[in-house]
Every structure is written in structure tokens, then in C-alpha cells.
Amino acid sequence: MKVAFIGLGVMGYPMAGHLQKAGYDVCVYNRTTEKAKKWQAEFSGAFAQTPAEAANDCDIVFCCVGNDDDLKQVVLGEQGILAGMPSGSILVDHTTASAEIAVELAAIAEKNGQYFLDAPVSGGQAGAENGILTVMVGGDEAVFAKVEPVMATFARFSQLMGPVGSGQLAKMVNQICFVNTVQGLAEGLNFAKKAGLDTDKLLDTIGKGAAGSWQMDNRGKTMCANEFDFGFAVDWVRKDLAIAFNEAEKLGADLTATKQIDGYYQEIQEAGGNRWDTSSLISRFKK
Ligand code: NAP
């Protein structure tokens, strides 16, 4: 099977590497060609000069870029993915983007006889590097069935959530739940410090009870140590929350607490923490 991967960022670079290591014939494209050359030197696949060239002759094209605008450029441009993808082939988009763009791109692909799945991921840089991402997918069941075993090279769990756009909607829920968990943890740990509790002992204890979470287990101690260099950046989460707010308005869904937390992330950006990871919510309490 011939596959392509477009966008060798923090996430795409290792994801494409897992595909190549699993024995697929991978051709990559990255806007900054140096990264594509580096990838080829590491994994010995091929690289192309345009998305269309990479997608040419492929059965499946994976894509992971920044946001809706980036996605439009790499998918719909004159030298974009759809211009190169053969009829009958599948575009799997791992970008965290809006459900609207997923529906728009799927409709255009369908007119060309191509298929589209929106497939945002969760698990961060470590999940991508270790090949243990979770993938939330929107699209057709038969198309998903073809792609699932290939995605398994970099994902430990994939779920078809429903029609095109459902993957992005599921990712929005993921982000809403996740930031509220981080904020709860930040408030709790700030309280613990003020109360003079031993936070190591505290986390080891309450982490085993009803308040336990992945965030508590993996970020509790680093948050107490003011270490915020663990990948998923404040700039990215605000991009994701903006997508969720837009969708919530259409749905009439209340995101009052999430909006407040978004304001806290804005404060962190204004203090220069754009690239800090999302656990940096605790830094606000140091003022
Ligand atoms: P990143 O490191 O900034 O990489 C973005 C990639 O997209 C780069 O390869 C970049 O090319 C390419 N790109 C951006 N705009 C482009 C354009 N207009 N034309 C062509 N290529 C373009 O981002 P990332 O951390 O891998 O994240 C990618 C996506 O996954 C985002 O939607 C993010 O929200 C989502 N995500 C990230 C994480 C995480 O922990 N990082 C976790 C879950 C989901 P250049 O190299 O030329 O800049």
C-alpha cells in the first residue's frame, strides 16, 4: 500500500515515521523542506516538493497541519492534496480543525470520487512518538474500516464517531473536558501549597481516589515545580477552544466555565507564555 503524509510537525513527523517503520511505502511533504529531508534521512522514505506530488498514486493520504486555513491551503491549492490524489483514494485529516471545514472538504473530495475522514488525535507529542494516540474519526464506515489498521501503526485506539465532522466534534469535547480538569488541578494545588501540605504525598494519595486523573498523575508534580515544557502549547489550546466556542454557539451549549479558563490562558499569553504547555494555568497563582 502506498501512503503519503503531509505536515511533519511535532505530531506528523513521528506519525509518518511509524507508518514507514511498519512497512508502508511512505512519501512525505512538508512546507519547510529541511524537515522532510531530515525525516527521509531518519526513516528512509521518499519526500515530494508539493502535496499533490506526494499524494500522487497513493491509496491513503494522511495530513496534520495547524488550523482550518492551513488545511485549505494544503488540500485545495493548485498543487494541493486533492489535485494529486487518485480517484478512489482516501484523505485522512489529523489536524484539529472545525467540523465545518471537514464537511466542506469531504464534499469537494466526493465530487472528485475521493474519500475524506476527519480524524483529530489526542495523546500529545509523547503519544505520537510512542505510537499510542487516540483518534476520533468522522466519515463513512467502510472507508474507516480500510484506514483503521493503517492508523494502528501510530494509534492505540481509533473510534468512528459518526458522519464527517463527528471526529472534530468529539475532539472539541475532549478539549472542553481537559482544560476544566487542568484548571481544577491548578486551583487544588495552589490551595494545597497555601495550606502547607506536602504536595508529593498529597498527589500520591488523592490520585488514587475519585479526584485522580491523567493530568494529576502526569502533570501534578511538574505543575508544583513550575515546569511547563511538556508539548501542547497555550497558543494551540486557545485555537482549539475558539473552534469549540463557535460550535457551542450554533448548538446553544453552555461553556461558561470553559470561557473563563480561556481567559486565563489569554492572561498567560499576555505574560509571554504562548509556548508554555497547558498545565501552566497554575502559574497565574504566583502573582
Ligand atoms: P506544528 O509542530 O506547528 O506543525 C504544523 C505542521 O503543519 C508543520 O509541518 C507545518 O509546516 C505545517 N503547516 C502549517 N501551516 C501550513 C501551510 N499553510 N501549508 C503547509 N504546511 C503547513 O504542530 P503540531 O503540534 O504537529 O500540531 C498539528 C495539529 O495537531 C494541530 O492542529 C494541533 O492542534 C493538533 N494537535 C497537536 C498536539 C500536540 O501536542 N502538539 C496534540 C493533539 C493535536 P512547517 O514545518 O513548514 O511550518
PDB file of all heavy atoms in Angstrom, residues 173-201:
ATOM      1  N   VAL A 173     -15.096  18.186  22.495  1.00  0.00           N
ATOM      2  CA  VAL A 173     -15.499  17.722  23.835  1.00  0.00           C
ATOM      3  C   VAL A 173     -14.254  17.366  24.650  1.00  0.00           C
ATOM      4  O   VAL A 173     -14.137  17.711  25.836  1.00  0.00           O
ATOM      5  CB  VAL A 173     -16.445  16.502  23.737  1.00  0.00           C
ATOM      6  CG1 VAL A 173     -16.820  16.002  25.127  1.00  0.00           C
ATOM      7  CG2 VAL A 173     -17.694  16.837  22.936  1.00  0.00           C
ATOM      8  N   ASN A 174     -13.325  16.699  23.996  1.00  0.00           N
ATOM      9  CA  ASN A 174     -12.062  16.335  24.663  1.00  0.00           C
ATOM     10  C   ASN A 174     -11.376  17.581  25.233  1.00  0.00           C
ATOM     11  O   ASN A 174     -10.944  17.605  26.390  1.00  0.00           O
ATOM     12  CB  ASN A 174     -11.151  15.650  23.636  1.00  0.00           C
ATOM     13  CG  ASN A 174      -9.871  15.122  24.246  1.00  0.00           C
ATOM     14  OD1 ASN A 174      -9.875  14.097  24.910  1.00  0.00           O
ATOM     15  ND2 ASN A 174      -8.773  15.834  24.055  1.00  0.00           N
ATOM     16  N   GLN A 175     -11.316  18.629  24.417  1.00  0.00           N
ATOM     17  CA  GLN A 175     -10.613  19.852  24.850  1.00  0.00           C
ATOM     18  C   GLN A 175     -11.369  20.556  25.983  1.00  0.00           C
ATOM     19  O   GLN A 175     -10.748  21.089  26.911  1.00  0.00           O
ATOM     20  CB  GLN A 175     -10.398  20.805  23.668  1.00  0.00           C
ATOM     21  CG  GLN A 175      -9.574  20.243  22.521  1.00  0.00           C
ATOM     22  CD  GLN A 175      -8.250  19.657  22.944  1.00  0.00           C
ATOM     23  OE1 GLN A 175      -8.202  18.592  23.563  1.00  0.00           O
ATOM     24  NE2 GLN A 175      -7.162  20.322  22.618  1.00  0.00           N
ATOM     25  N   ILE A 176     -12.704  20.563  25.899  1.00  0.00           N
ATOM     26  CA  ILE A 176     -13.515  21.191  26.953  1.00  0.00           C
ATOM     27  C   ILE A 176     -13.258  20.475  28.285  1.00  0.00           C
ATOM     28  O   ILE A 176     -12.981  21.108  29.317  1.00  0.00           O
ATOM     29  CB  ILE A 176     -15.026  21.124  26.592  1.00  0.00           C
ATOM     30  CG1 ILE A 176     -15.326  22.020  25.387  1.00  0.00           C
ATOM     31  CG2 ILE A 176     -15.893  21.526  27.790  1.00  0.00           C
ATOM     32  CD1 ILE A 176     -16.649  21.702  24.685  1.00  0.00           C
ATOM     33  N   CYS A 177     -13.314  19.144  28.259  1.00  0.00           N
ATOM     34  CA  CYS A 177     -13.124  18.360  29.493  1.00  0.00           C
ATOM     35  C   CYS A 177     -11.711  18.531  30.025  1.00  0.00           C
ATOM     36  O   CYS A 177     -11.491  18.692  31.236  1.00  0.00           O
ATOM     37  CB  CYS A 177     -13.386  16.878  29.230  1.00  0.00           C
ATOM     38  SG  CYS A 177     -15.083  16.542  28.760  1.00  0.00           S
ATOM     39  N   PHE A 178     -10.762  18.534  29.107  1.00  0.00           N
ATOM     40  CA  PHE A 178      -9.362  18.550  29.501  1.00  0.00           C
ATOM     41  C   PHE A 178      -8.969  19.874  30.185  1.00  0.00           C
ATOM     42  O   PHE A 178      -8.341  19.875  31.244  1.00  0.00           O
ATOM     43  CB  PHE A 178      -8.547  18.197  28.249  1.00  0.00           C
ATOM     44  CG  PHE A 178      -7.251  18.868  28.063  1.00  0.00           C
ATOM     45  CD1 PHE A 178      -6.154  18.492  28.816  1.00  0.00           C
ATOM     46  CD2 PHE A 178      -7.104  19.865  27.105  1.00  0.00           C
ATOM     47  CE1 PHE A 178      -4.929  19.111  28.627  1.00  0.00           C
ATOM     48  CE2 PHE A 178      -5.889  20.480  26.910  1.00  0.00           C
ATOM     49  CZ  PHE A 178      -4.799  20.108  27.679  1.00  0.00           C
ATOM     50  N   VAL A 179      -9.406  21.021  29.634  1.00  0.00           N
ATOM     51  CA  VAL A 179      -8.985  22.291  30.260  1.00  0.00           C
ATOM     52  C   VAL A 179      -9.666  22.486  31.620  1.00  0.00           C
ATOM     53  O   VAL A 179      -9.074  23.071  32.531  1.00  0.00           O
ATOM     54  CB  VAL A 179      -9.192  23.539  29.358  1.00  0.00           C
ATOM     55  CG1 VAL A 179      -8.378  23.429  28.078  1.00  0.00           C
ATOM     56  CG2 VAL A 179     -10.642  23.829  29.064  1.00  0.00           C
ATOM     57  N   ASN A 180     -10.884  21.989  31.739  1.00  0.00           N
ATOM     58  CA  ASN A 180     -11.557  22.101  33.040  1.00  0.00           C
ATOM     59  C   ASN A 180     -10.857  21.236  34.086  1.00  0.00           C
ATOM     60  O   ASN A 180     -10.759  21.624  35.257  1.00  0.00           O
ATOM     61  CB  ASN A 180     -13.039  21.738  32.902  1.00  0.00           C
ATOM     62  CG  ASN A 180     -13.857  22.903  32.363  1.00  0.00           C
ATOM     63  OD1 ASN A 180     -14.280  23.772  33.117  1.00  0.00           O
ATOM     64  ND2 ASN A 180     -14.053  22.956  31.050  1.00  0.00           N
ATOM     65  N   THR A 181     -10.343  20.088  33.676  1.00  0.00           N
ATOM     66  CA  THR A 181      -9.584  19.233  34.595  1.00  0.00           C
ATOM     67  C   THR A 181      -8.298  19.937  35.030  1.00  0.00           C
ATOM     68  O   THR A 181      -7.945  19.936  36.215  1.00  0.00           O
ATOM     69  CB  THR A 181      -9.226  17.895  33.897  1.00  0.00           C
ATOM     70  OG1 THR A 181     -10.420  17.309  33.440  1.00  0.00           O
ATOM     71  CG2 THR A 181      -8.517  16.945  34.842  1.00  0.00           C
ATOM     72  N   VAL A 182      -7.611  20.549  34.073  1.00  0.00           N
ATOM     73  CA  VAL A 182      -6.339  21.219  34.406  1.00  0.00           C
ATOM     74  C   VAL A 182      -6.592  22.383  35.366  1.00  0.00           C
ATOM     75  O   VAL A 182      -5.849  22.576  36.331  1.00  0.00           O
ATOM     76  CB  VAL A 182      -5.612  21.734  33.137  1.00  0.00           C
ATOM     77  CG1 VAL A 182      -4.321  22.439  33.513  1.00  0.00           C
ATOM     78  CG2 VAL A 182      -5.305  20.597  32.192  1.00  0.00           C
ATOM     79  N   GLN A 183      -7.655  23.144  35.106  1.00  0.00           N
ATOM     80  CA  GLN A 183      -7.940  24.284  35.987  1.00  0.00           C
ATOM     81  C   GLN A 183      -8.273  23.809  37.402  1.00  0.00           C
ATOM     82  O   GLN A 183      -7.812  24.394  38.392  1.00  0.00           O
ATOM     83  CB  GLN A 183      -9.079  25.137  35.411  1.00  0.00           C
ATOM     84  CG  GLN A 183      -9.537  26.292  36.289  1.00  0.00           C
ATOM     85  CD  GLN A 183      -8.438  27.311  36.586  1.00  0.00           C
ATOM     86  OE1 GLN A 183      -7.387  27.340  35.942  1.00  0.00           O
ATOM     87  NE2 GLN A 183      -8.652  28.143  37.601  1.00  0.00           N
ATOM     88  N   GLY A 184      -9.048  22.739  37.511  1.00  0.00           N
ATOM     89  CA  GLY A 184      -9.373  22.184  38.830  1.00  0.00           C
ATOM     90  C   GLY A 184      -8.109  21.769  39.564  1.00  0.00           C
ATOM     91  O   GLY A 184      -7.940  22.057  40.765  1.00  0.00           O
ATOM     92  N   LEU A 185      -7.215  21.142  38.842  1.00  0.00           N
ATOM     93  CA  LEU A 185      -5.956  20.697  39.436  1.00  0.00           C
ATOM     94  C   LEU A 185      -5.100  21.899  39.868  1.00  0.00           C
ATOM     95  O   LEU A 185      -4.516  21.900  40.958  1.00  0.00           O
ATOM     96  CB  LEU A 185      -5.212  19.838  38.401  1.00  0.00           C
ATOM     97  CG  LEU A 185      -3.940  19.134  38.815  1.00  0.00           C
ATOM     98  CD1 LEU A 185      -4.150  18.260  40.042  1.00  0.00           C
ATOM     99  CD2 LEU A 185      -3.424  18.281  37.644  1.00  0.00           C
ATOM    100  N   ALA A 186      -5.071  22.922  39.023  1.00  0.00           N
ATOM    101  CA  ALA A 186      -4.288  24.118  39.352  1.00  0.00           C
ATOM    102  C   ALA A 186      -4.827  24.771  40.634  1.00  0.00           C
ATOM    103  O   ALA A 186      -4.049  25.135  41.535  1.00  0.00           O
ATOM    104  CB  ALA A 186      -4.347  25.117  38.188  1.00  0.00           C
ATOM    105  N   GLU A 187      -6.126  24.903  40.756  1.00  0.00           N
ATOM    106  CA  GLU A 187      -6.715  25.518  41.958  1.00  0.00           C
ATOM    107  C   GLU A 187      -6.442  24.666  43.184  1.00  0.00           C
ATOM    108  O   GLU A 187      -6.089  25.177  44.256  1.00  0.00           O
ATOM    109  CB  GLU A 187      -8.231  25.713  41.773  1.00  0.00           C
ATOM    110  CG  GLU A 187      -8.551  26.878  40.866  1.00  0.00           C
ATOM    111  CD  GLU A 187     -10.046  27.228  40.832  1.00  0.00           C
ATOM    112  OE1 GLU A 187     -10.821  26.706  41.652  1.00  0.00           O
ATOM    113  OE2 GLU A 187     -10.419  28.039  39.975  1.00  0.00           O
ATOM    114  N   GLY A 188      -6.601  23.354  43.020  1.00  0.00           N
ATOM    115  CA  GLY A 188      -6.379  22.443  44.146  1.00  0.00           C
ATOM    116  C   GLY A 188      -4.937  22.498  44.634  1.00  0.00           C
ATOM    117  O   GLY A 188      -4.681  22.568  45.854  1.00  0.00           O
ATOM    118  N   LEU A 189      -4.006  22.505  43.707  1.00  0.00           N
ATOM    119  CA  LEU A 189      -2.589  22.502  44.104  1.00  0.00           C
ATOM    120  C   LEU A 189      -2.172  23.840  44.713  1.00  0.00           C
ATOM    121  O   LEU A 189      -1.366  23.888  45.642  1.00  0.00           O
ATOM    122  CB  LEU A 189      -1.708  22.150  42.898  1.00  0.00           C
ATOM    123  CG  LEU A 189      -1.842  20.701  42.419  1.00  0.00           C
ATOM    124  CD1 LEU A 189      -1.043  20.457  41.139  1.00  0.00           C
ATOM    125  CD2 LEU A 189      -1.403  19.717  43.515  1.00  0.00           C
ATOM    126  N   ASN A 190      -2.745  24.926  44.204  1.00  0.00           N
ATOM    127  CA  ASN A 190      -2.466  26.239  44.807  1.00  0.00           C
ATOM    128  C   ASN A 190      -2.988  26.280  46.243  1.00  0.00           C
ATOM    129  O   ASN A 190      -2.305  26.753  47.164  1.00  0.00           O
ATOM    130  CB  ASN A 190      -3.115  27.335  43.955  1.00  0.00           C
ATOM    131  CG  ASN A 190      -2.867  28.711  44.536  1.00  0.00           C
ATOM    132  OD1 ASN A 190      -1.725  29.115  44.712  1.00  0.00           O
ATOM    133  ND2 ASN A 190      -3.934  29.429  44.861  1.00  0.00           N
ATOM    134  N   PHE A 191      -4.169  25.737  46.429  1.00  0.00           N
ATOM    135  CA  PHE A 191      -4.766  25.649  47.781  1.00  0.00           C
ATOM    136  C   PHE A 191      -3.838  24.825  48.692  1.00  0.00           C
ATOM    137  O   PHE A 191      -3.542  25.213  49.826  1.00  0.00           O
ATOM    138  CB  PHE A 191      -6.143  24.979  47.649  1.00  0.00           C
ATOM    139  CG  PHE A 191      -6.918  24.820  48.922  1.00  0.00           C
ATOM    140  CD1 PHE A 191      -7.986  25.666  49.210  1.00  0.00           C
ATOM    141  CD2 PHE A 191      -6.613  23.818  49.837  1.00  0.00           C
ATOM    142  CE1 PHE A 191      -8.727  25.523  50.376  1.00  0.00           C
ATOM    143  CE2 PHE A 191      -7.339  23.663  51.007  1.00  0.00           C
ATOM    144  CZ  PHE A 191      -8.401  24.520  51.280  1.00  0.00           C
ATOM    145  N   ALA A 192      -3.368  23.689  48.176  1.00  0.00           N
ATOM    146  CA  ALA A 192      -2.511  22.792  48.970  1.00  0.00           C
ATOM    147  C   ALA A 192      -1.238  23.489  49.411  1.00  0.00           C
ATOM    148  O   ALA A 192      -0.801  23.358  50.566  1.00  0.00           O
ATOM    149  CB  ALA A 192      -2.180  21.553  48.148  1.00  0.00           C
ATOM    150  N   LYS A 193      -0.652  24.265  48.490  1.00  0.00           N
ATOM    151  CA  LYS A 193       0.594  24.979  48.830  1.00  0.00           C
ATOM    152  C   LYS A 193       0.331  25.994  49.929  1.00  0.00           C
ATOM    153  O   LYS A 193       1.098  26.125  50.879  1.00  0.00           O
ATOM    154  CB  LYS A 193       1.151  25.688  47.595  1.00  0.00           C
ATOM    155  CG  LYS A 193       1.894  24.758  46.643  1.00  0.00           C
ATOM    156  CD  LYS A 193       2.434  25.560  45.473  1.00  0.00           C
ATOM    157  CE  LYS A 193       3.372  24.741  44.604  1.00  0.00           C
ATOM    158  NZ  LYS A 193       3.900  25.525  43.488  1.00  0.00           N
ATOM    159  N   LYS A 194      -0.764  26.739  49.779  1.00  0.00           N
ATOM    160  CA  LYS A 194      -1.090  27.758  50.793  1.00  0.00           C
ATOM    161  C   LYS A 194      -1.373  27.115  52.140  1.00  0.00           C
ATOM    162  O   LYS A 194      -1.105  27.697  53.191  1.00  0.00           O
ATOM    163  CB  LYS A 194      -2.294  28.596  50.335  1.00  0.00           C
ATOM    164  CG  LYS A 194      -1.957  29.519  49.170  1.00  0.00           C
ATOM    165  CD  LYS A 194      -2.913  30.677  49.072  1.00  0.00           C
ATOM    166  CE  LYS A 194      -2.626  31.603  47.910  1.00  0.00           C
ATOM    167  NZ  LYS A 194      -1.339  32.283  47.962  1.00  0.00           N
ATOM    168  N   ALA A 195      -1.923  25.892  52.104  1.00  0.00           N
ATOM    169  CA  ALA A 195      -2.232  25.184  53.353  1.00  0.00           C
ATOM    170  C   ALA A 195      -0.995  24.496  53.930  1.00  0.00           C
ATOM    171  O   ALA A 195      -1.064  23.888  55.004  1.00  0.00           O
ATOM    172  CB  ALA A 195      -3.330  24.151  53.081  1.00  0.00           C
ATOM    173  N   GLY A 196       0.125  24.554  53.213  1.00  0.00           N
ATOM    174  CA  GLY A 196       1.376  23.968  53.720  1.00  0.00           C
ATOM    175  C   GLY A 196       1.423  22.452  53.631  1.00  0.00           C
ATOM    176  O   GLY A 196       2.207  21.804  54.323  1.00  0.00           O
ATOM    177  N   LEU A 197       0.597  21.862  52.760  1.00  0.00           N
ATOM    178  CA  LEU A 197       0.617  20.400  52.615  1.00  0.00           C
ATOM    179  C   LEU A 197       1.825  19.957  51.792  1.00  0.00           C
ATOM    180  O   LEU A 197       2.318  20.707  50.941  1.00  0.00           O
ATOM    181  CB  LEU A 197      -0.664  19.934  51.914  1.00  0.00           C
ATOM    182  CG  LEU A 197      -1.961  20.038  52.728  1.00  0.00           C
ATOM    183  CD1 LEU A 197      -3.169  19.767  51.825  1.00  0.00           C
ATOM    184  CD2 LEU A 197      -1.940  19.037  53.880  1.00  0.00           C
ATOM    185  N   ASP A 198       2.272  18.738  52.031  1.00  0.00           N
ATOM    186  CA  ASP A 198       3.328  18.123  51.217  1.00  0.00           C
ATOM    187  C   ASP A 198       2.661  17.669  49.912  1.00  0.00           C
ATOM    188  O   ASP A 198       1.889  16.704  49.901  1.00  0.00           O
ATOM    189  CB  ASP A 198       3.920  16.930  51.985  1.00  0.00           C
ATOM    190  CG  ASP A 198       4.990  16.201  51.185  1.00  0.00           C
ATOM    191  OD1 ASP A 198       4.859  16.124  49.938  1.00  0.00           O
ATOM    192  OD2 ASP A 198       5.947  15.708  51.812  1.00  0.00           O
ATOM    193  N   THR A 199       2.943  18.376  48.815  1.00  0.00           N
ATOM    194  CA  THR A 199       2.180  18.113  47.580  1.00  0.00           C
ATOM    195  C   THR A 199       2.529  16.755  46.956  1.00  0.00           C
ATOM    196  O   THR A 199       1.685  16.150  46.289  1.00  0.00           O
ATOM    197  CB  THR A 199       2.360  19.249  46.543  1.00  0.00           C
ATOM    198  OG1 THR A 199       3.750  19.498  46.367  1.00  0.00           O
ATOM    199  CG2 THR A 199       1.647  20.509  46.976  1.00  0.00           C
ATOM    200  N   ASP A 200       3.763  16.265  47.178  1.00  0.00           N
ATOM    201  CA  ASP A 200       4.094  14.924  46.661  1.00  0.00           C
ATOM    202  C   ASP A 200       3.213  13.870  47.327  1.00  0.00           C
ATOM    203  O   ASP A 200       2.603  13.034  46.667  1.00  0.00           O
ATOM    204  CB  ASP A 200       5.573  14.578  46.934  1.00  0.00           C
ATOM    205  CG  ASP A 200       6.488  15.229  45.906  1.00  0.00           C
ATOM    206  OD1 ASP A 200       5.967  15.885  44.995  1.00  0.00           O
ATOM    207  OD2 ASP A 200       7.718  15.079  46.042  1.00  0.00           O
ATOM    208  N   LYS A 201       3.160  13.948  48.659  1.00  0.00           N
ATOM    209  CA  LYS A 201       2.337  12.985  49.411  1.00  0.00           C
ATOM    210  C   LYS A 201       0.873  13.130  49.018  1.00  0.00           C
ATOM    211  O   LYS A 201       0.144  12.156  48.868  1.00  0.00           O
ATOM    212  CB  LYS A 201       2.446  13.271  50.921  1.00  0.00           C
ATOM    213  CG  LYS A 201       3.550  12.523  51.627  1.00  0.00           C
ATOM    214  CD  LYS A 201       3.334  12.726  53.125  1.00  0.00           C
ATOM    215  CE  LYS A 201       4.587  12.362  53.895  1.00  0.00           C
ATOM    216  NZ  LYS A 201       4.512  12.840  55.270  1.00  0.00           N
TER     217      LYS A 201
END
